[in-house]
Amino acid sequence: MKTVRKIWEGVTTILVALVVILAVLLVGVRLFGLQVFTVLSGSMEPTYHTGALIYVKEVDYKEIEPGQVITFMLDEKTIATHRVVEVVPDDEDPSVLRYKTKGDANEAEDGSLVHYKNVLGTPVFTIPYLGYLANFIQHPPGMYIAISAGAILLILVFLPDILFDDEEEKNGKEKEKKEKTDKEKKKAAEAAIEENMEAAGTEIESSGEDTDQESGEEKEDAGASS
């Protein structure tokens, strides 16, 4: 049982570690000021592959230069990541900047300029294929599967404590009962030995008295014969 429990705990520890790492990669990085996005198209191949997860850090829009990749909002629901090909200052207010962008795999530039207020940041690193998993668990039915898997993992973590602790407690009681029985048998054996020794001593004493009595009678007979 101990071997089974060690294997069980080892497997659950690995699974928990993987879940924690995944949670850090998908959510925990936000604590460090990073935003996470999934690449859904091949417009930035081969720099960012479809299904990759990209980590975007905020950037000062004034420091953005041609050749730099930015992540920006096309509209309220659509986010894109393309490369800047030109920085275009506003004619009336030069402090207002717009950016002409283009996907590395696209032949033509994007049709509209990106306003600096729509820039979310610039990608700092990427993890291939992880975006598929992130996108899957963020939407049904993947979301429900992820929740169910988390609940099952939680049960697996605490189940050994319930199963094996009861077994160990049972084994402990049986061991204690056996030790108690062995002690009682030992005491009984010791008592029997003591009784046998006492009985043997009594017989020896009785034999001695009988011998002395016989010797005395012989002496009396000898005196009477004289």
Side-chain angles (χ1 to χ4, degrees), residues 1-182:
M1 284 296 180
K2 290 184 178 180
T3 303
V4 175
R5 180 169 186 173
K6 287 182 178 179
I7 295 173
W8 192 315
E9 290 179 345
V11 171
T12 53
T13 299
I14 293 172
L15 292 175
V16 170
L18 291 175
V19 170
V20 171
I21 292 172
L22 183 62
V24 171
L25 291 175
L26 297 181
V27 181
V29 292
R30 298 179 188 276
L31 299 175
F32 301 96
L34 298 176
Q35 298 183 70
V36 184
F37 300 99
T38 300
V39 179
L40 299 176
S41 72
S43 64
M44 283 298 292
E45 296 275 2
T47 306
Y48 302 114
H49 299 285
T50 303
L53 207 64
I54 59 173
Y55 295 83
V56 177
K57 185 178 181 180
E58 289 186 6
V59 63
D60 186 348
Y61 74 95
K62 296 178 181 179
E63 297 179 357
I64 297 175
E65 299 177 350
Q68 187 171 353
V69 178
I70 60 172
T71 298
F72 54 92
M73 297 181 64
L74 288 173
D75 52 50
E76 293 181 356
K77 296 182 179 180
T78 307
I79 295 174
T81 298
H82 282 173
R83 194 177 302 277
V84 175
V85 295
E86 184 181 353
V87 179
V88 183
D90 187 78
D91 293 335
E92 297 181 358
D93 185 358
S95 63
V96 176
L97 301 178
R98 291 179 175 84
Y99 309 96
K100 184 179 292 186
T101 56
K102 175 182 174 297
D104 289 355
N106 296 342
E107 295 182 358
E109 298 174 351
D110 297 338
S112 59
L113 298 177
V114 179
H115 194 280
Y116 78 93
K117 289 185 178 180
N118 292 333
V119 176
L120 299 176
T122 183
V124 289
F125 68 94
T126 179
I127 300 179
Y129 306 112
L130 188 58
Y132 287 123
L133 178 60
N135 195 51
F136 176 72
I137 65 177
Q138 287 175 356
H139 304 89
M143 182 184 297
Y144 305 134
I145 294 175
I147 294 173
S148 300
I152 292 172
L153 180 59
L154 192 63
I155 293 172
L156 290 176
V157 169
F158 291 102
L159 194 58
D161 293 333
I162 299 172
L163 294 178
F164 296 111
D165 284 351
D166 290 343
E167 187 69 23
E168 289 176 0
E169 185 178 353
K170 182 180 178 181
N171 293 336
K173 288 182 179 179
E174 290 179 354
K175 185 178 179 181
E176 185 179 349
K177 185 177 179 181
K178 184 179 179 181
E179 290 177 352
K180 185 177 180 181
T181 302
D182 292 341

